[in-house]
Amino acid sequence: MASSSALSYQRPPRTGYAPQGPRSRAKSNLRDNVHLNTNAFAIETMCDKVYHNTVDIQVGKMNRQTKTIESFESKKIETQLGRKIVHMAIQRQFGNIAYAFDGKHILILPNRPDLQNDTVQIDLNDVDPLNDARRKTYRITITFSVEVDMKFEGVEDPAVISVMTYLNIILQQNAQLDPSNPGISENQSIFLKEGSENLRIGSPGQKEFLELRRGFRVKSFPALGRFIVIVSLSAGFFIRDRNLANFGGHSLAPGSELTRFLKSSNLLVTVRYDVGNRSNPTVKTGKLFVDDKSARTCTFDKDGIRTSIVDHFYRNLGKNIRNPDNVVIALGGANSKPRYPIEFASICPDQFYRKKADADMTSAMLKFSNRTPGDYLNSMRGAHQRLFQQGQTLNGFNITVNPKILAAQAYCLKALQINFGRRGIVKESENESTWNYRGKVVAESGAMHDWGIVYFATDPNYTFSQKLFNGVRSIGVDVVECREDFIVTARTSDCEAALLQLYRKIQTTTGRTPQILICVLPNEGVELYRTIKRVCDVDLQVASQCIVANKAATKSAQYWANIALKINVKLGGNNHYVNVMDRHMVGKTTMIMGADVTHPPNRRVNNSSIAAVVASTDLTATKYVTKIRPIPPRGDAGSDDIIPSMKEFTADDLMTFRKSTGSYPERIIIYRDGISDSQFNEVIDVELGGIKRACEEIRNAPDPNPDVQSYSPKITFVVVSKRHGTRFFPQRSEHGDKNGNFCAGYVVDKDITHPTSIYRYKELPGQHIIMFFAMRMSAKKTSNFVTTISARLVQSRFPLRVIMRIWRVRGQGIMWEMLGTTAVQNTQVSAEVLLQILWKRLGFRRKDIWKKSFMRDVL
């Protein structure tokens, strides 16, 4: 197969942005022009075409009387078992060829398979792919689907998503087929058994059965003239492959902690025991079902006689049960027979633990996966040899990955300033992206007059109320000391009743509704926290603040001041303002919105997802209102991640904004979380369309105000994606902080970024993809604005990426819509007007505009 460059198209110009020349010495500093190492590698070559095939695996159903296969049926098969079955089928049908299989239904081949009628059925009779005694007959049907061209016209071509998908499958397949240390593919990561670590904290079940493994997350991405591969470190919990006979004193009796853990973990186990004088042991494998009875108490009818499991194994099989009080198990479900003593079972290897991690597990994972920047970079160098070494898969698809880690050029944004009360101004620190609150008071105080405390801690410390009072007063909040009769103690089991009792007591005594309830927790228990928030937010509709007792007992006054800042916001106050906000919003009323969707644990037919939308209600974007609506399951009609009621959300928020400020906003900026690349078009059609329809209803409503009759706000739609996996490392120590991370405020918008869009990586929350942008600001002003509003909403430190592109130019105006093509389409604009727009409004340099290649790419 002939090779080609990894990205075979010419780069259209970056719209809305033009690289500037070197800055003058007066305006430059050491951090303006630096280079950062990344966790990305360049794909140098790959094949011109791949061939997409679909795979269907069926399991033979045996007639127990005739011992023959009477039919085949489709069943859900574990990923690792499916990979082994497909590998055996390909070896039998095609021989030793290169292929890539996603573990479900997609099979990618470098050459078109020679199949009659484009399909083939392969029967694997009485095989045991995983060598775990599951000898069955499988029927594998391979059907040729489509020939995929790995070359495309540009990144706006829909084929780019397919190419990225195929590259990811091929790269993961190459790592899994390493005979020396095969990787386990889970959640788009390759986990390795080497370097695993047993869990040392948590419940007995977690410590006995769980281990932590490190892995690599691989994702391909288009860049200028090539594809790049971003490799990030990951960690996950796996079930330890161990025998279930001995646990060093821990009980496996019915109802014990270990048996409860096993019962809820959905494990695959193998039962193995010797029978009499047989040369071969009895070996069976299946899903673990834990019975509620022990081997001594579990009985069944045998030849009309009631027999226990202990007696059956001793009298008929000659086996002594060492622990007859331990539970018995079955392979399958509750109706599966027979039952086996658990001591004959062992856990099958390489099983990923899929249940949600609790606080102890999360803490252990963070400690296990913590890496210094230097260690992280060294891991990336080792990852190339481990993941991209030239194996059969990469050679077959003619893929080569350059071992050199890519570097990216960066510049630094101007530090922000924060306004507090009494004209207090604090400038952002140069290297840490932090603000020192010490000695400052809040910009706007809430009122904390009617409040109470509930102690759920086993050893209540009644000095908490005085410490909290001093902390709240120190930041300038209008607070009154808590009355002694408003301080109560309660057991965690009586949480709901205690909160309701305190609420009514404050309401009866003062004649007013409580402003906030303070809850002192014995630990960071999730269930107690959830109960408190449900009762306070839903039932009582009162603010609440949870404090962990053991953390607060040894903390300084600064700890209580930090708690007080959270309380002031919940009381309707405002802690600070961002100076730069005024420059972006001067003369333009702006409403900031945020939207997300959460799904139930089991997304069944009758379960609804929940959509939540928040929106600012003041001119400085510091106060917000929240609205929640259910999303009925849409089935095949569309994705449950899309919010169909965005029009209703926006209409309510616009009315609230008008009541608070006296006018409708001239700009609407919405941040949207939880959207994948494949859902961008649907988001534009449904959610952005809903916002526009809400504005149109206001415009068409009877209102004598001429501004309302012509109401058409500028809308910016920003998709926030946090799991892009990109990391940066300073090449020189002066460009990093004390921990070796690169300093906050750096922006990367070239070298590893999108070839036609402006991608901006920043040390701020998430990856921001601006899909629709109608505010007429330059790319750099937009970058500063996103930085400012992000710092205002949450001061966190994660990479940020901003994408901007022009969809079309109409007349002498310009509309920035961030999902489309950079070419000018369906436009009746003269060349002179187009040049004027590109030069004056978008900041392109005149000499760049007049280049023939530039005009050819644009027009």
Side-chain angles (χ1 to χ4, degrees):
M1 182 68 64
S3 65
S4 68
S5 62
L7 201 58
S8 53
Y9 62 91
Q10 291 185 346
R11 175 206 181 195
R14 285 185 175 180
T15 55
Y17 170 81
Q20 302 297 322
R23 299 184 179 184
S24 64
R25 290 182 177 270
K27 294 184 179 180
S28 65
N29 57 59
L30 183 63
R31 299 168 61 194
D32 273 350
N33 242 340
V34 302
H35 285 82
L36 305 175
N37 288 325
T38 70
N39 59 333
F41 301 91
I43 296 180
E44 293 184 334
T45 62
M46 64 183 181
C47 56
D48 295 330
K49 299 177 184 297
V50 297
Y51 298 87
H52 181 132
N53 305 268
T54 58
V55 175
D56 179 53
I57 302 176
Q58 294 179 311
V59 182
K61 186 176 180 180
M62 180 175 290
N63 188 315
R64 294 186 177 183
Q65 296 179 351
T66 62
K67 301 297 182 180
T68 59
I69 301 298
E70 59 181 12
S71 63
F72 288 89
E73 56 184 358
S74 297
K75 288 186 177 180
K76 186 177 181 180
I77 297 178
E78 300 90 10
T79 302
Q80 302 305 323
L81 177 60
R83 292 183 185 277
K84 289 290 185 179
I85 293 173
V86 170
H87 180 72
M88 296 174 66
I90 289 177
Q91 293 283 326
R92 178 172 299 185
Q93 179 68 26
F94 304 111
N96 190 23
I97 65 169
Y99 72 93
F101 180 57
D102 72 338
K104 296 179 181 179
H105 300 288
I106 299 178
L107 174 65
I108 306 171
L109 298 176
N111 299 289
R112 179 162 182 167
D114 185 13
L115 305 176
Q116 185 177 3
N117 298 324
D118 288 335
T119 187
V120 64
Q121 284 187 347
I122 308 166
D123 289 342
L124 302 178
N125 298 313
D126 195 27
V127 296
D128 184 11
L130 296 180
N131 297 320
D132 58 7
R134 285 187 290 179
R135 304 194 69 86
K136 294 183 179 180
T137 297
Y138 300 96
R139 171 166 289 176
I140 300 91
T141 304
I142 300 176
T143 305
F144 171 72
S145 296
V146 65
E147 175 185 299
V148 180
D149 192 348
M150 301 293 277
K151 297 184 296 183
F152 45 90
E153 297 301 324
V155 294
E156 309 303 340
D157 191 328
V160 68
I161 297 179
S162 299
V163 174
M164 292 168 57
T165 301
Y166 296 143
L167 277 176
N168 292 335
I169 295 174
I170 293 170
L171 294 173
Q172 290 185 10
Q173 178 78 17
N174 189 70
Q176 293 170 52
L177 293 181
D178 182 7
S180 60
N181 185 21
I184 305 301
S185 177
E186 289 289 346
N187 294 341
Q188 300 181 350
S189 294
I190 303 295
F191 291 98
L192 309 177
K193 194 167 185 178
E194 59 183 9
S196 61
E197 181 179 294
N198 294 339
L199 190 63
R200 297 188 176 90
I201 62 174
S203 68
Q206 294 169 352
K207 289 187 287 186
E208 289 290 345
F209 293 112
L210 295 184
E211 67 179 12
L212 280 160
R213 294 188 187 181
R214 294 188 176 92
F216 299 99
R217 185 181 179 90
V218 180
K219 183 178 181 181
S220 61
F221 193 77
L224 178 58
R226 61 187 175 186
F227 264 100
I228 63 174
V229 181
I230 296 175
V231 181
S232 56
L233 297 182
S234 60
F237 289 99
F238 280 77
I239 306 294
R240 294 165 57 187
D241 47 334
R242 59 171 302 173
N243 188 275
L244 297 178
N246 185 15
F247 283 92
H250 292 296
S251 173
L252 283 174
S256 66
E257 290 192 33
L258 293 187
T259 54
R260 289 200 302 268
F261 181 88
L262 291 172
K263 199 169 187 178
S264 63
S265 297
N266 194 27
L267 300 179
L268 190 68
V269 298
T270 297
V271 173
R272 182 187 301 266
Y273 58 90
D274 297 320
V275 179
N277 296 323
R278 295 182 187 177
S279 58
N280 296 323
T282 297
V283 183
K284 296 182 179 181
T285 300
K287 286 291 182 181
L288 174 66
F289 171 77
V290 180
D291 204 327
D292 294 328
K293 298 179 181 179
S294 67
R296 193 190 305 274
T297 60
C298 182
T299 61
F300 65 97
D301 288 328
K302 182 175 179 60
D303 300 330
I305 301 175
R306 201 71 182 169
T307 306
S308 69
I309 297 295
V310 174
D311 293 339
H312 170 73
F313 271 81
Y314 177 75
R315 295 175 180 176
N316 298 281
L317 305 178
K319 300 291 294 183
N320 286 319
I321 307 302
R322 290 181 295 175
N323 300 296
D325 293 325
N326 286 351
V327 295
V328 293
I329 64 171
L331 302 181
N335 298 324
S336 300
K337 296 179 181 180
R339 295 292 194 263
Y340 304 96
I342 194 172
E343 62 190 55
F344 294 156
S346 59
I347 300 175
C348 296
D350 300 328
Q351 296 186 66
F352 189 74
Y353 184 70
R354 302 184 183 280
K355 294 193 67 177
K356 186 176 181 180
D358 58 21
D360 290 335
M361 295 171 63
T362 303
S363 175
M365 178 177 287
L366 292 175
K367 184 178 180 180
F368 176 76
S369 58
N370 187 27
R371 286 282 190 276
T372 64
D375 291 341
Y376 199 111
L377 200 58
N378 291 333
S379 299
M380 292 302 100
R381 295 187 175 98
H384 182 277
Q385 182 178 2
R386 176 64 185 80
L387 300 176
F388 309 133
Q389 58 186 352
Q390 293 303 304
Q392 181 183 11
T393 304
L394 292 186
N395 288 334
F397 289 93
N398 198 26
I399 294 178
T400 56
V401 181
N402 194 316
K404 183 178 179 180
I405 291 179
L406 294 177
Q409 188 174 346
Y411 64 89
C412 189
L413 295 177
K414 184 180 179 181
L416 299 176
Q417 289 185 351
I418 298 297
N419 273 3
F420 295 93
R422 300 175 188 169
R423 298 183 179 180
I425 298 179
V426 177
K427 186 177 181 180
E428 177 187 9
S429 63
E430 284 295 314
N431 294 328
E432 300 295 335
S433 187
T434 58
W435 295 266
N436 189 352
Y437 280 71
R438 184 172 299 175
K440 302 298 184 296
V441 297
V442 296
E444 184 180 346
S445 169
M448 190 173 173
H449 298 163
D450 306 316
W451 58 290
I453 302 177
V454 183
Y455 284 98
F456 295 104
T458 55
D459 185 17
N461 185 347
Y462 293 100
T463 62
F464 280 5
S465 62
Q466 187 62 39
K467 291 180 179 178
L468 180 59
F469 169 76
N470 294 335
V472 174
R473 186 175 58 178
S474 67
I475 64 171
V477 176
D478 180 14
V479 60
V480 175
E481 286 195 66
C482 184
R483 294 175 44 162
E484 291 186 3
D485 54 335
F486 291 168
I487 303 176
V488 299
T489 60
R491 294 178 299 182
T492 56
S493 58
D494 300 330
C495 172
E496 188 169 352
L499 292 171
L500 180 60
Q501 181 181 357
L502 179 59
Y503 178 88
R504 290 176 177 174
K505 187 174 184 180
I506 297 175
Q507 191 176 43
T508 303
T509 304
T510 64
R512 296 182 296 271
T513 301
Q515 294 162 325
I516 191 170
L517 299 180
I518 309 298
C519 302
V520 183
L521 280 57
N523 51 51
E524 296 181 355
V526 177
E527 293 302 324
L528 178 59
Y529 179 84
R530 287 176 178 172
T531 303
I532 292 172
K533 292 302 179 182
R534 176 183 59 80
V535 173
C536 293
D537 294 346
V538 180
D539 299 339
L540 303 179
Q541 297 185 7
V542 63
S544 61
Q545 177 63 49
C546 293
I547 301 173
V548 180
N550 58 0
K551 287 187 175 182
T554 58
K555 297 298 182 179
S556 62
Q558 185 63 39
Y559 170 82
W560 293 105
N562 292 336
I563 294 293
L565 291 173
K566 299 179 181 180
I567 292 176
N568 184 55
V569 174
K570 295 178 180 181
L571 295 174
N574 180 28
N575 293 339
H576 61 258
Y577 298 96
V578 180
N579 275 356
V580 188
M581 289 281 290
D582 298 335
R583 289 209 306 268
H584 294 301
M585 293 187 175
V586 61
K588 300 289 185 181
T589 56
T590 304
M591 182 175 72
I592 309 294
M593 300 176 63
D596 196 8
V597 176
T598 183
H599 304 288
N602 297 320
R603 300 178 68 174
R604 298 174 181 173
V605 177
N606 296 327
N607 289 343
S608 297
S609 300
I610 303 297
V613 174
V614 299
S616 61
T617 60
D618 62 346
L619 298 178
T620 55
T622 55
K623 296 182 180 180
Y624 288 78
V625 64
T626 305
K627 291 182 174 60
I628 298 175
R629 294 175 186 266
I631 300 178
R634 302 174 64 186
D636 297 334
S639 172
D640 292 345
D641 295 320
I642 308 301
I643 304 177
S645 56
M646 185 59 77
K647 181 178 77 70
E648 290 76 13
F649 276 121
T650 306
D652 293 343
D653 293 334
L654 289 173
M655 293 300 297
T656 303
F657 189 91
R658 186 185 187 186
K659 291 178 181 179
S660 176
T661 64
S663 63
Y664 290 113
E666 299 174 71
R667 295 171 174 170
I668 298 175
I669 304 173
I670 178 168
Y671 288 77
R672 181 68 163 91
D673 193 10
I675 295 298
S676 63
D677 295 351
S678 61
Q679 296 173 321
F680 283 175
N681 287 327
E682 191 174 3
V683 168
I684 288 292
D685 294 338
V686 178
E687 298 187 7
L688 181 59
I691 297 174
K692 291 181 177 181
R693 288 193 298 273
C695 298
E696 185 179 356
E697 285 187 358
I698 293 176
R699 186 166 59 248
N700 297 332
D703 194 307
N705 191 338
D707 293 335
V708 175
Q709 295 175 1
S710 60
Y711 182 63
S712 181
K714 305 294 183 181
I715 302 173
T716 301
F717 201 106
V718 183
V719 171
V720 183
S721 177
K722 298 177 289 296
R723 296 179 180 88
H724 50 81
T726 310
R727 300 291 183 269
F728 299 98
F729 313 92
Q731 293 184 346
R732 298 168 57 181
S733 59
E734 58 264 32
H735 299 150
D737 60 14
K738 60 183 179 181
N739 297 320
N741 297 305
F742 74 99
C743 296
Y746 278 124
V747 177
V748 176
D749 60 1
K750 58 178 65 176
D751 299 325
I752 67 164
T753 54
H754 202 278
T756 61
S757 303
I758 298 180
Y759 274 43
R760 295 185 183 272
Y761 294 83
K762 301 179 186 177
E763 184 103 348
L764 277 174
Q767 161 192 336
H768 288 53
I769 306 173
I770 301 185
M771 298 173 57
F772 182 89
F773 187 57
M775 295 166 57
R776 296 186 182 182
M777 293 194 301
S778 67
K780 194 164 187 178
K781 285 184 178 180
T782 304
S783 179
N784 286 329
F785 178 81
V786 173
T787 303
T788 301
I789 192 64
S790 300
R792 175 63 192 89
L793 297 178
V794 54
Q795 291 154 21
S796 181
R797 298 177 62 193
F798 296 95
L800 168 98
R801 180 164 58 189
V802 177
I803 308 171
M804 292 178 290
R805 68 189 71 159
I806 293 180
W807 193 347
R808 48 186 171 272
V809 180
R810 292 176 177 172
Q812 295 187 10
I814 177 168
M815 178 180 295
W816 289 29
E817 291 184 331
M818 301 311 164
L819 190 66
T821 174
T822 54
V824 181
Q825 299 175 348
N826 302 326
T827 305
Q828 297 180 356
V829 58
S830 64
E832 290 80 5
V833 173
L834 177 60
L835 291 175
Q836 185 179 11
I837 292 172
L838 293 173
W839 175 31
K840 293 186 176 181
R841 300 190 181 183
L842 299 184
F844 281 92
R845 293 179 295 179
R846 185 189 296 269
K847 63 179 182 179
D848 288 335
I849 295 177
W850 289 106
K851 289 180 181 179
K852 292 183 179 180
S853 60
F854 179 89
M855 293 303 298
R856 181 182 65 248
D857 291 337
V858 172
L859 299 178

